[in-house]
Each structure stands twice: as C-alpha cells, then as structure tokens.
C-alpha cells in the first residue's frame, strides 16, 4: 500500500509515538522566555570541553543520552540514531554519537535537520525497520559563527535581519508503541532558491521553502487550512515569518492566527538577537521542550512542525551563489 | 512485521529493484582500468564551470539526470532524491539537486554516502513511501583537496598510504517494480573509532568499521560467509583492505578470495594514486558502472556492497581528535 500522497507527502499507517524527548540549551537560551521548558540549561557554554566543536558534540551526546534515559530504554534498544547539525562534515553529531555504538545516519539539511530526522526516523519505524529510533538536531552559537561567519573576537556588528544561532539540542525517541503524541504525516521539502544572496537575511532565503512545504502539505493531504492548531516554522525569525505569511496569502492560504516561529519564540527581543534564533538546535530544542509540552498538556492538539534550512556554505557564497532553502513539514498530533 | 534482524540489519519484504544507473567520471578515472564501464568520461575536470564546487554540482546534476533518463521516467516521477558528498554543508549535492525540484534528503556519511543513500532509498520504497527514489554520491578530487588538505598549487608530496579522491558520481534509480538487480538487505554501520589519527591513512581508520559491518551482516542475517560471490568495500585502498581481511580473520571470517575494494579497482597502480581511489564518488561510480554490470551480465549473482567513510573534519583533526569510521553493507542480488 503506497503511503505517499500528492507531490511530496506521506501519511503513516501506524503513526510512531514520541515516547520521550530531551532538550538542553546554553546560558543565553536559558535567559529567554522558554527557559522553564528545557530539561537542562548549561551555565557553561563549553559544556566542560575545550573547543566549540567538542562543546557541541558533548551537548549532543548529553541530550541524546537524556532522551533515551527518559524513555526508560537502554542505549542498545535504539535501532537507529538520525542526527544533523551545521558544522563542516557534521562533526557535532558524529563525535557526539560516537560513544553510543548504534547504527547511525548523519543528515544534512542545515537548520531543517530536525524535520529530516523526525521524518526518516518515523519512516524507519512505520516501515517496519525499527522499534525505536532517536531523531536529533544540534547547534552551537560559537561553532556556527566560526563555521559560517567571523571570529567571535572581531566583535563584528550584526545586521538587523541577522539571526542568532541557538546553542541547544533537541532529541526525541520515536517508537512503534506508545500513547502519543503521534507523528502522523510528513511533507518532504524540495530545494527552493528564489535568488536571495544576503547571508544576513536567512529568513528571506528560507521563507519560500517553508511556504512551498506548507502549501504542498495542505494540498497533498487535502487538509483544510485550519486543520492544525499551531503551525510552527523553524527559524524564519521576525522578517522571514512576515514573508511566509505573505507568500501563503498569495496562494489563498491564511495561517496568520495560527503561525508561530521557533526562532521568534526562543529569545526575547531584549536579548539583542535581531531577527531571532536560528540553527538546527533552535527548532530542535523548542520542539522537544516547549511544543511537545503544549501537545502533552492538551493546550494544542494538532501541530504542524516545519523546520527550515538555508543550504549555503561559505565557499558557495564567496563564489557569488545564491542561498537555496528547504523546509520539511511534520504533523504531530496528540490523539489519533 | 519487523524487518529488523539482530543488531543492525534489515531484510526487505519487497526488495527494491535498481531500474537504472549512471556513472560519470573525470579524465584521470577515464584513464583507469574501469573506463569502459562508465557512462561518460569528462575530458574537462571543471565540467564547463568555473570553480571546483560548481564542477562537482554539475557532475552530480548530469549524473542524476542521466540515471533518470535511462530509467525512462520523468524527473517528476521521482519521489525522493537522497544524496551525499564530502564538501562542507553538502554543497555538491545541494547545488546539484537544486534544479530538480524534488523532495530531497541530504546525507552525510563521508565516503559511505552511497551506502546510506541506497539503504534509505530502499527503505522508502519497501516501506511504501515511494515508487521511485534516486540514490546518489559524488566527489571531486580538487574540491576534496581544497576542503580537507592543501591548495593544489602547493604540489604537496603525498604519503604512500594516502588515497586519491575520485572525481566521479554514481546514481541509481530504485523502484518497487522492476526485474532486478534487487536490494535485498542492509546493515547500517555504527561509528567506530579505534584511535587512528593519521589523515594520510584513511584506510586504517575505516577498516575496523568495514569489518564490524560485514561481521554484523553475516551474524544478524545468519548467512554463511561464502553467501556472496563478491564483497566490495568502498575505499579502503591497498593497505586498508589488508587490515580488513586481518580483522575479519580474527573473528574467523575469511573473505580473502571474494573481497575487492572500489578504491583499488578504479585506478591502475601506474597512475600514482598510492593507496588507491577514495571519495563518495569512488564506490558510487564503481557500483553504478562496473559492479552493476557484473550483476546484470550474471558474472556475479550476489554482491555485498560496503561503502566506507572516514568521518573527520579539518577542525576536529586540528584539535587532536581521532578519525571515526563508518561502513554500511548493502546486499544486491541478481535474482530473488
């Protein structure tokens, strides 16, 4: 039986449950409005290590370990770990997952990684390949600045449309058995590039991809536009979110009253983060902490979670290339 | 029904067929012993572009396009493209896949990418999420040297155990319908790190992961050690291959008479490549060209294809880290 619908969507026959989740963030995120939803706030941005790369790997390791611990499972019960991050050659995830000794799929979708990991992690369970998978996404402000931008020591002034990479990690344990929340459907994004070149405005580069994924999700699955209580994009930020709403309105889809963005939620405007938070760990930690809590308490019943990614590298930007965007929509529902 | 066996393996219920494949390589690979098996040998190492990154993306785009063309399908029929490469932030695959407009999963497993893409691409089909997927892996000698090593202009002398990154790409179109060869089973690797630090000897860093994946494959699926006519590792090269055979012998598995390595096959010793070829496009192009041909002609009936990856980055090596390895075993059989 084909579970594929329309252009880019699937509906799960036996929707996997999120049996546990963990979120760990850095000190700045711990001063933000979502602080109480995270499992752990590290006061040490180095997580006890000596380099930014080691810090991100340790953050990843701790978060995955905590998620597995909270599920009551042993590491050996996990059949696949799927993880993504922003560092060159996925170093954050790889060195973080090294000690687990479990089958590993490294994913790269920039800040859309959590969407990829949850989609594939659900397919592996619903498809019959696993009883338990872990989906994870991490980022670290200092590692991301080093990888994509300027040495921190330069103290470079940031543009108003720039975002602030979240030091954080979100992990979920998915299972074929469980009492929800359930991952019921997923729309996998295509690479969308409308020619945006400004690396200080990634929201604008990703908004078209988010609009495309959301519109396809509604169309493919023939859902009314008010099906979800909340549609949470990844890290479009303040300016990208406005663009998203405009782009969707052009397609006669109005989600204004039910849209939020993890990048807008995680920091307070007073924290001087300009457009908002970004990074794989932004929507990762906001999902595993805040959004999942809203689903568990019943405050929301149906969530469309739409991690977004800007798929450039330093080399491609230096060569005058534009910034391709991608977004993956994942439906998470409290009840079946 | 759980299709998962033992620690890390799956058997497909309805094994996906490889309905078409394409391989494109650069001029040096075109002077090697496998030249006649590749679909296209480019005399231009820049593939008509201006930078190494653009060249790799164009190589990727051309190869995926050719594989789809050979399948008789339209690009729009492909439900998912899964692709990996070595460049920072998967630039080769991302800018290459941008024009296709199809749902896209970027994978990072270094030179094991083709194994990941074929495993996940098969799961998406056998799991009921797609009728057609494309699995792809690419690499480019000049892009890899720039990313991991020294500027080409330095003319740095290479160590005897160093390998030569293949400029090449392999793509396969997988389908739920077809007359084989079939992808029947897959063992997904864990990250294995025995503490090897020498970036000029990646064969030694990857051999333990290859041994682990092959041993698990036999054990998980309870297969006799002579089940496969050929076991082709990815890019262990001459020295890594010797280590692999030794490590397996310690576990009483002797594959000496049926082992080969894509990195050893693709170049002649006279081509001054030292340990052999490497890179995602090495086993990618050797599989899509040479190995698949052997399966189609019946010269071999059962192949275990084991792409191997060295998961370091420049930053982690500069920080004194060791090189984690990974390997994914994919069973490809002519008949069911």
């Amino acid at each position: 039986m084909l579970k594929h619908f329309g252009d880019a969507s699937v509906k799960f026959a036996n929707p996997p449950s999120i049996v546990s989740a963990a979120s760990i963030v850095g000190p700045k995120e711990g001063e933000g409005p979502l602080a109480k939803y995270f499992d752990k706030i590290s006061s040490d941005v180095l997580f006890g290590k000596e380099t930014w790369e080691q810090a991100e790997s340790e953050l990843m390791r701790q978060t995955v370990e905590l998620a597995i611990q909270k599920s009551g499972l042993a590491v050996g019960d996990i059949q696949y770990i799927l993880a993504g991050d922003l560092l060159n050659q996925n170093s954050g995830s790889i060195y973080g997952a090294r000690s687990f000794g479990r089958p590993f799929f490294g994913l790269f979708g920039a800040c859309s990684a959590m969407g990829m990991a949850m989609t594939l992690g659900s397919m592996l369970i619903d498809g019959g390949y696993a009883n338990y998978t872990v989906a994870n996404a991490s980022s670290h402000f200092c590692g991301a600045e080093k990888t994509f931008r300027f040495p921190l020591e330069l103290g470079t002034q940031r543009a108003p449309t720039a975002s602030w990479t979240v030091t954080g990690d979100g992990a979920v344990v998915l299972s074929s058995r469980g009492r929800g929340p359930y991952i019921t459907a997923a729309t996998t994004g295509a690479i969308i590039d409308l020619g945006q070149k400004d690396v200080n405005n990634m929201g604008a580069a990703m908004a078209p991809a988010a609009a495309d994924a959301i519109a396809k999700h509604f169309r493919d699955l023939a859902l009314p536009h008010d099906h979800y209580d909340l549609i949470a994009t990844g890290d479009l930020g303040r300016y990208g979110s406005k663009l998203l709403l405009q782009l969707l309105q052009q397609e006669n889809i109005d989600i204004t009253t039910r849209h939020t963005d993890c990048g807008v939620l995680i920091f307070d405007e007073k924290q001087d983060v300009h457009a908002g938070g970004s990074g794989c760990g932004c929507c990762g930690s906001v999902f595993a902490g805040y959004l999942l809590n809203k689903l568990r308490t019943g405050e929301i019943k149906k969530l469309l979670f739409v991690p977004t990614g800007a798929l450039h590298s330093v080399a491609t930007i230096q060569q005058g290339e534009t910034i391709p965007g991608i977004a993956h929509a994942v439906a998470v529902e409290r009840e079946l």
Side-chain angles (χ1 to χ4, degrees), chain A:
Chain A
M1 189 198 63
L2 196 63
K3 304 167 199 167
H4 196 276
F5 292 82
D7 186 65
S9 302
V10 297
K11 269 203 269 192
F12 295 109
N14 299 296
S17 270
I18 299 170
V19 291
S20 72
S23 53
I24 302 182
V25 298
K28 187 179 179 90
E29 294 70 21
E31 291 163 7
L34 304 187
K36 69 174 176 183
Y37 296 100
F38 301 123
D39 289 295
K40 200 170 139 189
I41 295 162
S42 174
S43 57
D44 174 16
V45 80
L46 274 166
F47 292 82
K49 298 292 174 179
E50 289 183 351
T51 71
W52 305 129
E53 289 80 4
Q54 290 169 3
E56 183 172 335
S57 293
E58 176 60 12
L59 163 64
M60 186 276 185
R61 193 196 64 72
Q62 285 184 17
T63 315
V64 170
E65 188 174 71
L66 181 59
I68 297 172
Q69 203 177 12
K70 286 172 78 176
S71 72
L73 297 164
V75 171
D77 295 328
I78 304 298
Q79 275 133 341
Y80 298 94
I81 296 174
L82 303 100
D85 62 275
L86 288 168
L87 298 182
N88 296 342
Q89 286 78 45
N90 273 26
S91 299
S93 309
I94 284 166
Y95 285 86
R98 181 171 53 174
S99 62
F100 295 121
R102 302 308 304 148
F104 177 80
F105 287 118
L107 308 176
F108 185 77
C111 310
S112 77
M114 195 63 178
M116 292 177 69
M118 286 171 64
T119 299
L120 288 169
S122 297
M123 287 173 169
L124 297 196
I125 287 172
D126 178 66
Y129 308 108
N131 288 321
Y132 302 106
T133 59
V134 170
N136 186 82
S138 60
S139 55
H140 192 295
F141 173 75
C142 306
E145 290 300 303
K146 179 175 161 183
T147 303
F148 289 98
R149 285 167 285 268
F150 300 99
L152 291 174
E153 292 81 354
L154 270 179
T156 309
Q157 195 167 7
R158 300 167 60 251
T161 51
S163 54
W164 185 281
T165 307
V166 162
T167 298
D169 186 298
V172 293
V173 177
L174 307 177
S175 169
S176 51
R177 280 157 283 189
R179 284 177 291 174
Y182 302 93
I183 298 180
T184 53
T187 300
T188 298
I191 300 168
I192 308 274
D193 189 337
L194 299 191
Q196 215 282 88
K197 280 188 172 199
D198 180 0
V199 287
N200 291 309
N201 189 356
M202 289 190 288
M206 299 185 289
D212 187 69
I214 293 168
K216 274 183 188 153
H217 185 79
F218 285 134
R219 201 184 313 133
D220 288 351
L221 301 174
L223 293 172
H225 300 165
D226 61 356
H227 180 77
Y228 295 100
D229 304 322
L230 192 66
I231 297 174
T233 45
D235 53 356
L236 298 180
R238 290 173 224 297
Y239 307 103
S241 290
K242 280 187 195 162
L243 275 174
L244 167 72
L245 297 178
Q246 285 170 11
L247 287 165
L248 283 174
Q249 271 159 0
Q250 287 172 15
E251 302 204 41
N252 294 315
I253 299 172
D254 187 351
I255 60 163
T256 314
T257 59
R258 50 192 80 235
H259 171 258
T260 191
D261 182 78
C262 300
V264 174
L265 290 170
I266 195 167
F267 292 120
D268 190 283
E269 280 197 65
K270 292 180 202 137
Q271 289 182 278
D272 194 27
V273 295
H274 300 215
S278 62
C280 310
C282 175
C283 67
S285 63
V286 171
F287 178 82
Y290 175 73
L291 294 170
L292 204 52
N293 179 274
K294 283 196 169 252
L295 281 160
R296 288 204 197 281
T297 61
E299 200 180 327
I300 55 173
K301 291 204 165 62
K302 293 172 195 285
L303 167 74
L304 190 64
F305 178 50
V306 191
T308 44
L311 302 171
H312 61 295
S313 77
V314 170
T316 59
I317 293 301
Q318 284 173 345
Q319 292 170 18
E321 259 296 358
T322 51
I323 306 173
I326 199 162
H328 306 292
V330 183
V332 191
E333 308 194 25
R334 183 176 153 83
E335 286 151 26
L336 288 182

